Amino acid sequence: EAVFEDTFRDFVDFFRFAHRNIVMNSVSDLMNKAQSNSSNLLKLGEVAERALYGTEAEFWSDEVYVAFIKPLASNKSLPKQVRERYASQLARINSVQVGAVLDFEYVGDDGLKHRLSDLPECESLILLFIDDSMDSKIGRLRLSTDVALNAQLESGKAKFLCLSMNTYSADWAREAAGYCDNWIVGCDENLNNQLDLRVFPCCYVLDGQHTIVSKSLSVEGLMSAVNPNY
């Protein structure tokens, strides 16, 4: 098992340096050969998830990972629950590709339901998804004090929506009220199942029509995007 995974990681290690067509053709050839052996197909799905999609992946690539799991989502020789699991991943990944228009419902700190599409127009909408981890708390604090980001918010060019993976409660609302005065704050414990959120904190950048410009950014990645001198 360990040898299989090491060999697979050697295989994908060159992806970051190779031409896209070479990468996609290599994955297609490999998965076509594995179709007739459900055991090998399952192993490929498992190691591909760890190497290309999981939180510890050294190389994140939605396009390459989708090429690996599409055959698993449709291969009738695999157990139904396996097919459904990969189909669910595909749906989440495909719904938040760069260029897609994003919209969803959340609960504001006022306790009322809101939609992303109801927010006032602006040049840029920045989304910060957080959980209760220390990493999220530190990331939230860093962004709340970032000079370049605050300048964009104060000018009205950008708006900032911080979304917690929590169920609404009075205690959460009291805590959220202290996040940042120029942030919009909301929560929804189900967003993690709707969107492709693999690690927290996680940032998305949308344009004025709520089209995804960048996704799955780290806090450092967002700070670099809003401040060229970062």
Side-chain angles (χ1 to χ4, degrees), residues 165-211:
M165 302 297 108
N166 293 99
T167 303
Y168 179 85
S169 68
D171 288 341
W172 171 83
R174 280 192 292 272
E175 179 184 347
Y179 280 3
C180 198
D181 290 341
N182 54 14
W183 288 7
I184 305 164
V185 181
C187 68
D188 190 325
E189 73 278 13
N190 294 316
L191 280 177
N192 197 25
N193 296 321
Q194 300 175 41
L195 305 177
D196 184 31
L197 304 176
R198 304 172 215 170
V199 63
F200 297 98
C202 174
C203 306
Y204 278 47
V205 178
L206 314 183
D207 67 12
Q209 288 70 49
H210 295 172
T211 301

Side-chain angles (χ1 to χ4, degrees), residues 143-160:
L143 290 173
S144 70
T145 57
D146 185 74
V147 174
L149 176 58
N150 277 299
Q152 287 198 25
L153 299 181
E154 290 165 8
S155 71
K157 291 182 178 180
K159 293 191 181 300
F160 194 100

Side-chain angles (χ1 to χ4, degrees), residues 2-229:
V3 173
F4 185 92
E5 181 145 2
D6 288 343
T7 302
F8 181 86
R9 287 185 179 273
D10 288 341
F11 171 63
V12 302
D13 190 53
F14 84 96
F15 285 0
R16 69 191 78 194
F17 309 111
H19 189 279
R20 174 193 174 276
N21 291 347
I22 295 175
V23 171
M24 301 309 292
N25 287 336
S26 297
V27 174
S28 179
D29 288 344
L30 176 63
M31 298 309 288
N32 284 336
K33 292 174 182 177
Q35 286 285 356
S36 60
N37 188 315
S38 58
S39 177
N40 285 342
L41 196 60
L42 283 172
K43 285 182 181 178
L44 283 170
E46 292 169 0
V47 296
E49 183 167 4
R50 289 193 288 271
L52 297 166
Y53 183 78
T55 57
E56 302 300 323
E58 298 175 3
F59 173 61
W60 271 11
S61 172
D62 289 352
E63 184 179 24
V64 176
Y65 183 61
V66 163
F68 273 106
I69 66 172
K70 265 188 175 180
L72 286 100
S74 59
N75 191 304
K76 297 292 180 64
S77 69
L78 299 180
K80 181 180 178 182
Q81 63 268 28
V82 172
R83 300 198 309 270
E84 290 178 345
R85 178 174 177 275
Y86 286 112
S88 177
Q89 281 189 354
L90 279 173
R92 289 199 304 273
I93 293 171
N94 289 332
S95 69
V96 290
Q97 287 301 300
V98 171
V101 175
L102 192 61
D103 194 20
F104 53 80
E105 190 174 77
Y106 63 93
V107 180
D109 56 354
D110 55 4
L112 302 176
K113 290 184 177 180
H114 301 269
R115 291 202 68 83
L116 200 65
S117 52
D118 294 333
L119 294 175
E121 289 188 8
C122 58
E123 290 183 19
S124 179
L125 174 61
I126 298 168
L127 308 179
L128 171 66
F129 298 97
I130 61 173
D131 59 6
D132 293 326
S133 67
M134 185 56 66
D135 284 344
S136 285
K137 292 175 182 177
I138 293 172
R140 176 169 54 79
L141 179 61
R142 291 181 65 193
L143 290 173
S144 70
T145 57
D146 185 74
V147 174
L149 176 58
N150 277 299
Q152 287 198 25
L153 299 181
E154 290 165 8
S155 71
K157 291 182 178 180
K159 293 191 181 300
F160 194 100
L161 173 59
C162 178
L163 290 159
S164 300
M165 302 297 108
N166 293 99
T167 303
Y168 179 85
S169 68
D171 288 341
W172 171 83
R174 280 192 292 272
E175 179 184 347
Y179 280 3
C180 198
D181 290 341
N182 54 14
W183 288 7
I184 305 164
V185 181
C187 68
D188 190 325
E189 73 278 13
N190 294 316
L191 280 177
N192 197 25
N193 296 321
Q194 300 175 41
L195 305 177
D196 184 31
L197 304 176
R198 304 172 215 170
V199 63
F200 297 98
C202 174
C203 306
Y204 278 47
V205 178
L206 314 183
D207 67 12
Q209 288 70 49
H210 295 172
T211 301
I212 300 173
V213 177
S214 301
K215 58 167 281 190
S216 301
L217 293 173
S218 64
V219 167
E220 289 77 10
L222 177 62
M223 293 171 72
S224 178
V226 299
N227 181 4
N229 297 319

